Amino acid sequence: MVSPIVSVFGADVFQQLVAVGAAFGPAGAFISPLSIYIALALALNGATPNTTTYSQLWTPLAKSITPAPFVTLPQLNSYTRVLTRTLIREARAADGTEMMISNVIFTNRTPVEAEYAAVALGSFNAPVLNATSATPINNWVKKKTNNLIAEAVPSTLKFKLLVVNSIYFFGSWVIPFNKTYTRSEPFTTPEGSKIQVYMMHSKFTGMVFEGLRLPQIRIDDTDAASGGYRAVKLTYRDSNFSAIALLCDEKKHKLDASACLNSLDIEDVLSGAGWRDISHFDSIKLPRFEVEVKQLSVTKALQAMGVKEPFSDAAKFRKLSSTPLKIDDIYHSSVVKVDEEGTEAAAVTVVVFGPTAAPGETLEFNRPFVFLVYDEEQAAVMFMGVVNRPTEAK
């Protein structure tokens, strides 16, 4: 397994979102760690090196695990580029799996530095496009997410520049749930009430599957933080993609699945250790579900992780634009649908840049200075000298 830094970063963000009381919605709480990571990596490339703005963005992206898998920005960009291309390539080679990862920079009459534009395009395949309202942004998002997300930013959004990432995924189960077994059954909500849901059943007893990457189960009764858990890994057809459904110990976390998630060692869960053949159970029961999170602000969560100056008037994004900019907000939307056939999901992260309240730096010639006139191509100076006493104002 390659470095799980994106997943560990995502677990940290999710934990902070819960801590700050993020408004996910009643159906559930979902984020895309990969989408947020890529969007922040694009923002990091615009930060002025050797500044607090840069270091505060760098730390959660590069130091979520020890030792860090990279120590320079070009290495981080290379890691992100290779990871993105690998995921897309794996999906294209699979039957029944789709993956689309897209990036773009929208500018509202704000100049973008040529060097930044080159890195954005070369490492992130992110072109720079013009937009003066939210309409073209939301239209772009709708297209890139197969219509799952229609409005990534408010229609009244004011901005100078946007950094946008979108992810779309569709995967078919290796072993689909048989719809004839789907029944209306009770499900206990976090409040303790019971609702009727469509419970899907997958039976494994007596079945033979040759040449398939089969579902697996994991039972861990030794994890003190989670109180132990039971999990199933459901595999997607002809690919390395999988889904994990996990139940923590009910005595430890009651009905709080967010507390369960935050207690897990995500690196350990994702590792191959402890997973074994599905035959321990003769069937799995999983409800159909659709969870949508709209325009969730992740700003407070990132600030709790130490990313503060990028959101302030002291922010320095000189590699992004000559216009003084700060991050006004970061919107994150996601949709996850699971049924008998598989999973369809999408996510969008929008980093909204606005003007700083503080004025930009001014180069003021208010003391004696050098002045010359020359031909650039020939490097020939026609006039050269110093100014000690400019014309006095009358």
Side-chain angles (χ1 to χ4, degrees):
M1 183 175 66
V2 298
S3 171
I5 193 166
V6 171
S7 303
V8 175
F9 162 80
D12 291 343
V13 172
F14 188 90
Q15 185 174 33
Q16 293 302 330
L17 283 168
V18 173
V20 301
F24 282 105
F30 270 94
I31 63 170
S32 169
L34 181 59
S35 178
I36 299 173
Y37 190 94
I38 294 174
L40 286 182
L42 268 166
L44 169 65
N45 274 271
T48 307
N50 303 314
T51 63
T52 302
T53 297
Y54 183 95
S55 63
Q56 288 184 356
L57 284 169
W58 168 266
T59 298
L61 294 177
K63 297 184 177 180
S64 296
I65 63 174
T66 303
F70 32 71
V71 294
T72 67
L73 184 58
Q75 289 175 339
L76 186 151
N77 290 344
S78 177
Y79 168 83
T80 307
R81 180 176 66 252
V82 171
L83 176 61
T84 298
R85 291 178 179 177
T86 300
L87 293 173
I88 294 173
R89 184 174 63 249
E90 287 182 5
R92 286 175 177 171
D95 179 24
T97 303
E98 295 179 42
M99 169 72 84
M100 183 162 52
I101 302 175
S102 307
N103 301 299
V104 68
I105 314 297
F106 284 106
T107 175
N108 183 2
R109 302 185 181 92
T110 300
V112 175
E113 292 294 305
E115 182 180 351
Y116 177 84
V119 171
L121 188 61
S123 293
F124 297 87
N125 197 28
V128 177
L129 304 179
N130 296 314
T132 57
S133 71
T135 300
I137 291 94
N138 287 328
N139 287 342
W140 183 91
V141 166
K142 189 175 180 180
K143 179 180 179 181
K144 297 297 183 179
T145 61
N146 198 29
N147 298 318
L148 286 187
I149 299 176
E151 192 170 271
V153 295
S155 59
T156 57
L157 181 70
K158 303 294 183 183
F159 65 93
K160 298 292 286 183
L161 185 145
L162 302 177
V163 169
V164 187
N165 166 270
S166 72
I167 296 177
Y168 173 78
F169 172 79
F170 177 83
S172 302
W173 302 126
V174 167
I175 304 173
F177 290 86
N178 191 326
K179 289 184 179 181
T180 61
Y181 295 141
T182 301
R183 299 283 187 274
S184 176
E185 296 186 16
F187 181 93
T188 306
T189 69
E191 297 76 29
S193 60
K194 291 189 181 295
I195 60 174
Q196 291 298 118
V197 302
Y198 289 107
M199 192 68 72
M200 306 182 295
H201 295 232
S202 189
K203 296 182 179 293
F204 305 109
T205 303
M207 300 182 72
V208 178
F209 308 99
E210 294 184 359
L212 297 178
R213 197 171 62 93
L214 297 178
Q216 294 179 304
I217 59 98
R218 181 170 177 176
I219 301 174
D220 190 331
D221 295 323
T222 63
D223 188 352
S226 67
Y229 60 81
R230 293 187 170 196
V232 60
K233 181 190 295 183
L234 299 173
T235 50
Y236 295 104
R237 193 169 70 210
D238 193 28
S239 74
N240 291 323
F241 298 104
S242 301
I244 293 175
L246 185 150
L247 285 169
C248 276
D249 179 65
E250 190 171 358
K251 293 180 181 179
K252 179 82 172 182
H253 295 295
K254 307 294 189 237
L255 299 169
D256 192 345
S258 292
C260 166
L261 175 54
N262 288 334
S263 73
L264 296 172
D265 180 344
I266 198 69
E267 289 185 75
D268 180 64
V269 172
L270 295 177
S271 72
W275 292 96
R276 61 181 190 267
D277 188 84
I278 193 71
S279 61
H280 181 87
F281 296 105
D282 65 358
S283 67
I284 296 293
K285 297 169 69 173
L286 182 74
R288 283 185 206 160
F289 66 85
E290 178 177 343
V291 177
E292 181 174 9
V293 177
K294 297 181 178 180
Q295 296 175 20
L296 177 74
S297 173
V298 299
T299 296
K300 289 183 179 179
L302 290 172
Q303 289 173 332
M305 294 170 64
V307 186
K308 297 179 179 180
E309 185 173 278
F311 297 95
S312 74
D313 288 329
K316 293 177 177 61
F317 288 97
R318 289 297 187 177
K319 287 187 69 178
L320 174 60
S321 175
S322 58
T323 300
L325 298 174
K326 65 176 179 177
I327 300 176
D328 282 344
D329 207 345
I330 299 178
Y331 292 106
H332 185 68
S333 301
S334 61
V335 177
V336 179
K337 299 180 179 181
V338 169
D339 62 17
E340 289 85 352
E341 299 300 322
T343 302
E344 187 177 28
V348 174
T349 304
V350 182
V351 183
V352 182
F353 284 90
T356 59
E361 294 180 72
T362 300
L363 180 58
E364 185 175 0
F365 293 86
N366 57 2
R367 52 189 173 82
F369 59 93
V370 174
F371 190 83
L372 53 87
V373 178
Y374 77 114
D375 181 283
E376 287 191 49
E377 187 172 340
Q378 302 300 324
V381 176
M382 280 83 73
F383 303 92
M384 174 191 294
V386 298
V387 178
N388 291 320
R389 192 182 183 94
T391 305
E392 293 189 43
K394 301 294 186 182

